Amino acid sequence: MAIALGHPEHGYYRKADPIGRAGDFITAPEISQVFGEIIGLWSAVVWRQAGAPPTVRLVELGPGRGTLMADALRAAETVPEFRVAIDLHLVETSPALRARQRETLAPHTVAWHDTTETVPPGPAIFIANEFFDALPTDQYIRTEGGWRERCVDFDEAAGKPAFSVSPAEPEAKTIPAELDDAPQNAIYEHSPIRDELAAALGRRIAADGGAALIVDYGHARPGLGETLQAVRRHRPQDVLDDVGSADLTTHVDFAALAAAVTGAGARTWGPTPQGAFLAALGAEQRAEALSARAAPTQAADLRSGVRRLIAADGMGTLFKAMAITAAGAAAPPGFETA
Protein backbone atom coordinates (compact mmCIF):
# COMPACT_ATOMS: atom_id res chain seq x y z
CA MET A 1 0.00 0.00 0.00
CA ALA A 2 2.80 2.42 0.85
CA ILE A 3 4.54 1.82 -2.49
CA ALA A 4 1.34 1.77 -4.56
CA LEU A 5 0.09 5.04 -3.07
CA GLY A 6 3.25 6.94 -2.23
CA HIS A 7 6.10 5.88 -4.54
CA PRO A 8 7.89 9.12 -5.63
CA GLU A 9 7.43 8.36 -9.34
CA HIS A 10 4.72 5.73 -9.71
CA GLY A 11 2.59 6.24 -6.56
CA TYR A 12 -1.11 6.86 -7.04
CA TYR A 13 -1.19 10.06 -4.97
CA ARG A 14 1.96 11.44 -6.60
CA LYS A 15 0.67 11.53 -10.16
CA ALA A 16 -2.62 13.41 -10.38
CA ASP A 17 -5.66 14.85 -8.62
CA PRO A 18 -7.88 11.78 -8.08
CA ILE A 19 -10.85 13.52 -6.44
CA GLY A 20 -14.18 14.44 -8.00
CA ARG A 21 -16.56 13.15 -10.62
CA ALA A 22 -13.82 13.22 -13.25
CA GLY A 23 -11.46 11.39 -10.88
CA ASP A 24 -11.75 8.16 -8.94
CA PHE A 25 -13.76 9.03 -5.81
CA ILE A 26 -15.65 11.84 -4.10
CA THR A 27 -15.19 12.81 -0.47
CA ALA A 28 -17.65 14.50 1.90
CA PRO A 29 -16.32 18.07 1.41
CA GLU A 30 -16.88 17.72 -2.35
CA ILE A 31 -20.45 16.52 -1.76
CA SER A 32 -21.55 19.46 0.40
CA GLN A 33 -20.02 22.70 1.64
CA VAL A 34 -21.94 22.14 4.86
CA PHE A 35 -19.47 19.41 5.89
CA GLY A 36 -16.49 21.77 6.00
CA GLU A 37 -18.50 24.58 7.54
CA ILE A 38 -19.62 22.33 10.39
CA ILE A 39 -16.01 21.30 11.03
CA GLY A 40 -14.88 24.93 11.01
CA LEU A 41 -17.44 25.84 13.66
CA TRP A 42 -16.63 22.65 15.60
CA SER A 43 -13.01 23.81 15.68
CA ALA A 44 -14.01 27.24 16.97
CA VAL A 45 -15.95 25.74 19.88
CA VAL A 46 -13.10 23.37 20.73
CA TRP A 47 -10.70 26.34 20.68
CA ARG A 48 -12.88 28.15 23.18
CA GLN A 49 -13.14 25.04 25.36
CA ALA A 50 -9.31 24.92 25.38
CA GLY A 51 -9.16 28.45 26.82
CA ALA A 52 -9.03 30.39 23.53
CA PRO A 53 -5.22 30.42 23.14
CA PRO A 54 -3.99 33.45 21.14
CA THR A 55 -2.42 31.12 18.56
CA VAL A 56 -3.68 27.70 17.57
CA ARG A 57 -2.30 25.44 14.84
CA LEU A 58 -5.16 24.35 12.60
CA VAL A 59 -3.80 21.24 10.90
CA GLU A 60 -5.48 19.11 8.26
CA LEU A 61 -4.08 15.68 7.39
CA GLY A 62 -4.57 14.71 3.75
CA PRO A 63 -6.48 17.86 2.75
CA GLY A 64 -7.45 16.70 -0.75
CA ARG A 65 -8.20 19.72 -2.92
CA GLY A 66 -8.36 22.06 0.09
CA THR A 67 -12.16 22.18 -0.16
CA LEU A 68 -12.85 21.21 3.45
CA MET A 69 -10.38 23.79 4.77
CA ALA A 70 -11.71 26.55 2.53
CA ASP A 71 -15.24 25.92 3.81
CA ALA A 72 -14.01 25.65 7.41
CA LEU A 73 -12.15 28.96 7.21
CA ARG A 74 -15.18 30.69 5.70
CA ALA A 75 -17.28 29.48 8.63
CA ALA A 76 -14.54 30.54 11.04
CA GLU A 77 -14.98 34.14 9.87
CA THR A 78 -18.16 34.20 11.98
CA VAL A 79 -15.93 33.85 15.06
CA PRO A 80 -13.39 36.63 14.36
CA GLU A 81 -11.21 36.04 17.41
CA PHE A 82 -10.80 32.37 16.43
CA ARG A 83 -10.02 33.26 12.83
CA VAL A 84 -7.26 35.63 13.98
CA ALA A 85 -5.77 32.90 16.21
CA ILE A 86 -5.48 30.32 13.38
CA ASP A 87 -2.02 29.33 12.14
CA LEU A 88 -2.78 27.09 9.16
CA HIS A 89 -0.84 23.88 8.39
CA LEU A 90 -1.51 21.11 5.86
CA VAL A 91 0.07 17.64 5.90
CA GLU A 92 0.27 16.54 2.28
CA THR A 93 2.82 14.49 0.29
CA SER A 94 1.23 14.75 -3.18
CA PRO A 95 2.72 17.48 -5.41
CA ALA A 96 -0.43 17.46 -7.57
CA LEU A 97 -2.72 17.94 -4.58
CA ARG A 98 -0.47 20.58 -3.01
CA ALA A 99 -0.78 22.58 -6.22
CA ARG A 100 -4.56 22.26 -6.10
CA GLN A 101 -4.63 23.24 -2.41
CA ARG A 102 -2.50 26.29 -3.20
CA GLU A 103 -5.13 27.42 -5.71
CA THR A 104 -8.10 26.72 -3.44
CA LEU A 105 -6.56 28.44 -0.42
CA ALA A 106 -4.81 31.24 -2.35
CA PRO A 107 -5.99 34.07 -0.04
CA HIS A 108 -4.62 32.30 3.04
CA THR A 109 -1.13 31.80 4.45
CA VAL A 110 -0.39 28.06 4.52
CA ALA A 111 2.55 25.92 5.66
CA TRP A 112 2.86 22.46 4.12
CA HIS A 113 4.38 19.38 5.78
CA ASP A 114 5.18 15.83 4.77
CA THR A 115 4.39 14.57 8.29
CA THR A 116 2.81 15.85 11.49
CA GLU A 117 6.22 15.78 13.17
CA THR A 118 7.27 19.12 11.65
CA VAL A 119 4.15 21.03 12.72
CA PRO A 120 5.39 23.62 15.25
CA PRO A 121 4.63 22.98 18.94
CA GLY A 122 1.75 24.63 20.74
CA PRO A 123 -2.03 24.15 21.00
CA ALA A 124 -3.35 22.48 17.86
CA ILE A 125 -6.57 21.26 16.29
CA PHE A 126 -6.05 18.36 13.89
CA ILE A 127 -8.61 17.42 11.22
CA ALA A 128 -8.34 14.05 9.44
CA ASN A 129 -11.16 13.31 7.01
CA GLU A 130 -10.70 10.08 5.04
CA PHE A 131 -7.01 10.03 5.88
CA PHE A 132 -6.49 7.03 8.14
CA ASP A 133 -8.18 4.62 5.69
CA ALA A 134 -5.34 5.05 3.17
CA LEU A 135 -2.52 4.32 5.62
CA PRO A 136 -0.79 0.95 5.02
CA THR A 137 -2.41 -2.06 6.66
CA ASP A 138 -1.06 -5.51 7.49
CA GLN A 139 -3.18 -8.58 6.80
CA TYR A 140 -3.02 -11.97 8.52
CA ILE A 141 -4.72 -15.17 7.36
CA ARG A 142 -5.64 -18.16 9.49
CA THR A 143 -4.02 -21.31 8.10
CA GLU A 144 -3.88 -24.92 9.25
CA GLY A 145 -0.70 -24.04 11.08
CA GLY A 146 -2.12 -20.93 12.74
CA TRP A 147 -1.98 -17.25 11.84
CA ARG A 148 0.41 -16.13 9.09
CA GLU A 149 1.07 -12.76 7.51
CA ARG A 150 -0.38 -12.25 4.05
CA CYS A 151 2.20 -10.84 1.65
CA VAL A 152 2.49 -9.66 -1.94
CA ASP A 153 4.82 -11.65 -4.19
CA PHE A 154 5.37 -11.75 -7.94
CA ASP A 155 3.88 -14.55 -10.03
CA GLU A 156 6.50 -15.17 -12.71
CA ALA A 157 4.20 -17.39 -14.77
CA ALA A 158 1.37 -14.87 -14.80
CA GLY A 159 3.71 -11.91 -15.03
CA LYS A 160 1.97 -9.92 -12.30
CA PRO A 161 1.78 -9.50 -8.50
CA ALA A 162 -0.01 -12.16 -6.46
CA PHE A 163 -0.83 -12.75 -2.82
CA SER A 164 1.28 -15.20 -0.84
CA VAL A 165 1.54 -16.36 2.77
CA SER A 166 4.61 -15.97 4.98
CA PRO A 167 5.88 -19.26 6.45
CA ALA A 168 6.91 -17.53 9.70
CA GLU A 169 4.60 -17.10 12.66
CA PRO A 170 3.73 -13.48 13.49
CA GLU A 171 5.33 -11.87 16.51
CA ALA A 172 3.68 -12.43 19.87
CA LYS A 173 0.65 -10.21 20.62
CA THR A 174 0.22 -9.27 16.96
CA ILE A 175 -3.07 -11.18 16.84
CA PRO A 176 -5.58 -10.53 19.66
CA ALA A 177 -5.98 -13.55 21.94
CA GLU A 178 -9.74 -13.63 21.31
CA LEU A 179 -9.04 -14.54 17.68
CA ASP A 180 -7.14 -17.74 18.52
CA ASP A 181 -10.16 -19.85 17.56
CA ALA A 182 -10.86 -18.06 14.27
CA PRO A 183 -11.87 -20.32 11.37
CA GLN A 184 -9.43 -21.27 8.63
CA ASN A 185 -8.96 -18.64 5.90
CA ALA A 186 -10.24 -15.87 8.17
CA ILE A 187 -8.55 -12.51 7.59
CA TYR A 188 -7.43 -10.12 10.32
CA GLU A 189 -6.25 -6.58 9.49
CA HIS A 190 -4.07 -4.35 11.63
CA SER A 191 -2.34 -1.05 10.83
CA PRO A 192 0.62 -0.26 13.11
CA ILE A 193 1.17 3.01 11.24
CA ARG A 194 -2.34 4.17 12.12
CA ASP A 195 -1.82 3.28 15.76
CA GLU A 196 1.53 5.12 15.82
CA LEU A 197 -0.01 8.26 14.34
CA ALA A 198 -2.97 8.14 16.73
CA ALA A 199 -0.56 7.79 19.65
CA ALA A 200 1.51 10.72 18.36
CA LEU A 201 -1.60 12.90 18.17
CA GLY A 202 -2.56 11.80 21.67
CA ARG A 203 0.86 12.70 23.06
CA ARG A 204 0.84 16.06 21.31
CA ILE A 205 -2.62 17.00 22.56
CA ALA A 206 -1.91 15.76 26.09
CA ALA A 207 1.24 17.90 26.22
CA ASP A 208 0.27 21.06 24.29
CA GLY A 209 -3.53 21.12 24.38
CA GLY A 210 -6.05 21.19 21.58
CA ALA A 211 -8.04 18.41 19.95
CA ALA A 212 -8.32 16.19 16.90
CA LEU A 213 -11.29 15.12 14.80
CA ILE A 214 -11.05 11.90 12.80
CA VAL A 215 -13.81 11.15 10.28
CA ASP A 216 -13.52 7.95 8.27
CA TYR A 217 -15.23 4.73 7.35
CA GLY A 218 -14.63 1.76 9.58
CA HIS A 219 -15.81 -0.27 12.56
CA ALA A 220 -16.16 0.58 16.21
CA ARG A 221 -14.99 -2.86 17.41
CA PRO A 222 -12.20 -5.10 16.10
CA GLY A 223 -13.19 -8.14 14.09
CA LEU A 224 -12.42 -10.45 11.21
CA GLY A 225 -12.79 -9.86 7.50
CA GLU A 226 -10.94 -8.37 4.56
CA THR A 227 -11.74 -4.72 3.79
CA LEU A 228 -8.84 -3.93 1.45
CA GLN A 229 -10.27 -2.37 -1.69
CA ALA A 230 -9.14 -0.57 -4.82
CA VAL A 231 -11.25 2.09 -6.53
CA ARG A 232 -10.67 3.63 -9.94
CA ARG A 233 -13.11 5.91 -11.73
CA HIS A 234 -15.69 5.23 -9.01
CA ARG A 235 -15.63 1.46 -9.63
CA PRO A 236 -13.99 -1.41 -7.73
CA GLN A 237 -10.77 -2.79 -9.19
CA ASP A 238 -8.63 -5.80 -8.28
CA VAL A 239 -6.11 -4.48 -5.77
CA LEU A 240 -3.17 -6.08 -7.63
CA ASP A 241 -4.16 -4.93 -11.12
CA ASP A 242 -2.11 -2.07 -12.56
CA VAL A 243 -0.63 -1.15 -9.18
CA GLY A 244 -0.43 2.61 -8.67
CA SER A 245 -3.46 3.36 -10.84
CA ALA A 246 -6.15 3.06 -8.15
CA ASP A 247 -6.90 4.27 -4.64
CA LEU A 248 -6.25 1.63 -1.97
CA THR A 249 -7.98 1.72 1.41
CA THR A 250 -9.04 -0.45 4.33
CA HIS A 251 -11.66 0.18 7.00
CA VAL A 252 -10.41 1.98 10.08
CA ASP A 253 -10.36 0.08 13.37
CA PHE A 254 -11.50 2.84 15.71
CA ALA A 255 -11.03 0.65 18.78
CA ALA A 256 -7.33 0.29 17.93
CA LEU A 257 -7.01 4.06 17.49
CA ALA A 258 -8.70 4.66 20.84
CA ALA A 259 -6.36 2.24 22.59
CA ALA A 260 -3.33 3.97 21.09
CA VAL A 261 -4.58 7.43 22.10
CA THR A 262 -5.43 6.34 25.65
CA GLY A 263 -2.02 4.72 26.00
CA ALA A 264 -0.46 8.06 25.05
CA GLY A 265 -2.23 9.88 27.88
CA ALA A 266 -5.11 11.54 26.01
CA ARG A 267 -8.82 10.76 25.74
CA THR A 268 -11.06 9.74 22.87
CA TRP A 269 -14.74 10.50 22.33
CA GLY A 270 -16.88 8.26 20.16
CA PRO A 271 -16.78 6.89 17.60
CA THR A 272 -20.23 8.08 16.70
CA PRO A 273 -21.89 7.64 13.30
CA GLN A 274 -21.15 10.51 10.94
CA GLY A 275 -24.86 11.04 10.39
CA ALA A 276 -25.55 11.48 14.10
CA PHE A 277 -22.50 13.74 14.50
CA LEU A 278 -23.49 16.08 11.66
CA ALA A 279 -27.15 16.09 12.66
CA ALA A 280 -26.27 17.02 16.24
CA LEU A 281 -24.28 19.99 14.96
CA GLY A 282 -27.12 21.31 12.81
CA ALA A 283 -26.09 20.20 9.32
CA GLU A 284 -29.69 19.86 8.12
CA GLN A 285 -30.63 23.29 9.46
CA ARG A 286 -27.60 24.82 7.74
CA ALA A 287 -28.57 23.18 4.46
CA GLU A 288 -32.09 24.57 4.75
CA ALA A 289 -30.80 28.07 5.49
CA LEU A 290 -28.55 27.94 2.43
CA SER A 291 -31.35 26.48 0.31
CA ALA A 292 -33.67 29.37 1.17
CA ARG A 293 -31.27 31.76 -0.59
CA ALA A 294 -30.40 29.47 -3.50
CA ALA A 295 -31.86 28.80 -6.93
CA PRO A 296 -34.12 25.73 -7.08
CA THR A 297 -31.48 23.48 -8.66
CA GLN A 298 -28.85 24.58 -6.15
CA ALA A 299 -31.28 24.13 -3.27
CA ALA A 300 -32.03 20.57 -4.38
CA ASP A 301 -28.30 19.83 -4.58
CA LEU A 302 -27.73 21.24 -1.10
CA ARG A 303 -30.48 19.12 0.42
CA SER A 304 -29.47 15.93 -1.40
CA GLY A 305 -25.81 16.44 -0.52
CA VAL A 306 -26.47 16.72 3.21
CA ARG A 307 -28.93 13.84 3.03
CA ARG A 308 -26.19 11.67 1.50
CA LEU A 309 -23.80 12.58 4.32
CA ILE A 310 -26.35 11.80 7.05
CA ALA A 311 -28.56 8.98 5.76
CA ALA A 312 -27.98 5.40 6.87
CA ASP A 313 -28.13 4.24 3.25
CA GLY A 314 -25.57 6.91 2.31
CA MET A 315 -22.49 7.78 4.37
CA GLY A 316 -24.23 8.30 7.70
CA THR A 317 -23.56 4.92 9.32
CA LEU A 318 -20.44 3.43 7.71
CA PHE A 319 -18.54 6.68 8.26
CA LYS A 320 -17.79 7.54 11.87
CA ALA A 321 -16.40 10.46 13.83
CA MET A 322 -13.96 10.25 16.73
CA ALA A 323 -12.46 13.11 18.73
CA ILE A 324 -9.26 13.31 20.76
CA THR A 325 -8.80 15.73 23.66
CA ALA A 326 -6.61 16.08 26.72
CA ALA A 327 -7.65 13.72 29.51
CA GLY A 328 -9.56 16.29 31.59
CA ALA A 329 -11.19 18.26 28.77
CA ALA A 330 -14.93 18.73 28.32
CA ALA A 331 -16.82 16.76 25.68
CA PRO A 332 -16.34 18.31 22.24
CA PRO A 333 -19.43 19.32 20.24
CA GLY A 334 -21.30 16.32 18.85
CA PHE A 335 -19.84 13.95 21.44
CA GLU A 336 -21.76 15.00 24.55
CA THR A 337 -23.49 11.62 24.74
CA ALA A 338 -20.66 9.54 23.21
Side-chain angles (χ1 to χ4, degrees):
M1 286 181 72
I3 294 171
L5 297 177
H7 186 277
E9 182 179 356
H10 304 291
Y12 174 74
Y13 282 114
R14 297 290 183 135
K15 294 184 292 188
D17 174 1
I19 304 171
R21 289 180 174 83
D24 295 322
F25 58 87
I26 297 178
T27 59
E30 306 294 332
I31 293 171
S32 174
Q33 70 183 73
V34 173
F35 185 82
E37 291 176 352
I38 289 291
I39 289 178
L41 295 175
W42 183 91
S43 301
V45 175
V46 166
W47 170 75
R48 281 179 171 160
Q49 288 179 331
T55 300
V56 62
R57 320 295 182 199
L58 183 59
V59 188
E60 186 176 359
L61 314 185
R65 293 173 162 180
T67 306
L68 185 157
M69 187 54 69
D71 292 336
L73 291 173
R74 185 175 61 254
E77 297 288 351
T78 63
V79 189
E81 61 275 24
F82 172 58
R83 182 64 190 89
V84 169
I86 291 174
D87 178 27
L88 185 57
H89 297 263
L90 303 180
V91 178
E92 179 61 70
T93 59
S94 166
L97 288 174
R98 280 195 184 193
R100 189 61 183 266
Q101 293 155 16
R102 193 171 283 109
E103 293 176 4
T104 303
L105 298 168
H108 307 287
T109 300
V110 183
W112 276 270
H113 305 266
D114 288 331
T115 72
T116 58
E117 295 173 0
T118 57
V119 175
I125 298 172
F126 294 89
I127 306 298
N129 177 62
E130 291 194 55
F131 177 77
F132 278 81
D133 62 87
L135 296 180
T137 300
D138 296 334
Q139 283 190 342
Y140 298 87
I141 185 167
R142 180 75 178 193
T143 69
E144 290 184 1
W147 286 102
R148 297 291 186 271
E149 186 171 8
R150 200 179 187 204
C151 304
V152 177
D153 208 334
F154 193 80
D155 186 333
E156 296 287 353
K160 64 179 184 179
F163 285 114
S164 63
V165 178
S166 170
E169 294 185 14
E171 295 182 5
K173 297 184 180 180
T174 299
I175 310 297
E178 58 266 29
L179 300 182
D180 285 346
D181 296 328
Q184 192 169 331
N185 296 320
I187 299 288
Y188 169 69
E189 295 177 335
H190 176 232
S191 176
I193 292 177
R194 287 179 190 163
D195 294 352
E196 290 165 9
L197 177 56
L201 293 178
R203 285 192 296 271
R204 166 77 185 246
I205 291 167
D208 290 359
L213 177 65
I214 300 168
V215 183
D216 225 314
Y217 50 87
H219 39 271
R221 297 179 180 83
L224 297 172
E226 179 177 16
T227 68
L228 176 64
Q229 63 179 352
V231 174
R232 185 181 186 189
R233 295 178 181 173
H234 307 276
R235 295 178 180 274
Q237 174 176 302
D238 187 293
V239 297
L240 297 182
D241 280 353
D242 196 10
V243 176
S245 69
D247 187 31
L248 297 179
T249 64
T250 59
H251 288 199
V252 174
D253 181 349
F254 282 95
L257 298 189
V261 169
T262 303
R267 174 173 179 174
T268 60
W269 303 81
T272 189
Q274 175 179 285
F277 173 72
L278 293 175
L281 296 181
E284 293 164 303
Q285 291 86 340
R286 176 58 178 161
E288 286 302 318
L290 290 170
S291 298
R293 303 192 300 269
T297 301
Q298 292 174 316
D301 288 343
L302 282 163
R303 292 188 180 101
S304 65
V306 169
R307 193 178 306 116
R308 180 176 173 184
L309 297 179
I310 290 178
D313 59 353
M315 300 168 66
T317 302
L318 176 59
F319 282 74
K320 296 174 178 62
M322 170 184 279
I324 303 172
T325 67
F335 296 94
E336 291 85 355
T337 61

